[in-house]
Amino acid sequence: MNEFTGSAASQADFIWKNAEDLWGDFKHTDFGKIILPFTLLRRLECALEPTREAVREAHDAFKDADVELDTILGY
């Protein structure tokens, strides 16, 4: 996660460097369909990181109980 500390410009540089590494694997017209979803998934992963362990613990504690998990986990 250290690669995302810094300015927005350095984050953009990091994303485009990874995009350039993938360039040969995809058609030029399909590239936008690939990089945007993965960038979005990574951003969501970073945003959810602080609560990840608490959600896992809550899920483990209540998965066998007769309760609505969506309410407890905040879905």
Side-chain angles (χ1 to χ4, degrees):
M1 193 153 358
N2 290 336
E3 68 268 9
F4 282 107
T5 57
S7 68
S10 66
Q11 291 177 12
D13 289 341
F14 174 77
I15 290 169
W16 282 112
K17 184 208 170 295
N18 288 326
E20 289 171 0
D21 291 341
L22 295 172
W23 191 259
D25 296 333
F26 302 101
K27 290 187 225 171
H28 180 39
T29 55
D30 292 338
F31 191 68
K33 297 175 190 174
I34 304 294
I35 196 66
L36 182 61
F38 277 104
T39 302
L40 190 65
L41 286 172
R42 177 65 179 143
R43 299 232 10 190
L44 284 171
E45 182 180 37
C46 290
L48 296 173
E49 182 63 32
T51 60
R52 181 183 314 262
E53 195 57 39
V55 170
R56 285 182 179 156
E57 289 171 5
H59 180 268
D60 289 341
F62 293 104
K63 67 182 176 186
D64 295 327
D66 191 23
V67 294
E68 184 66 35
L69 284 178
D70 291 349
T71 304
I72 293 171
L73 300 178
Y75 292 144

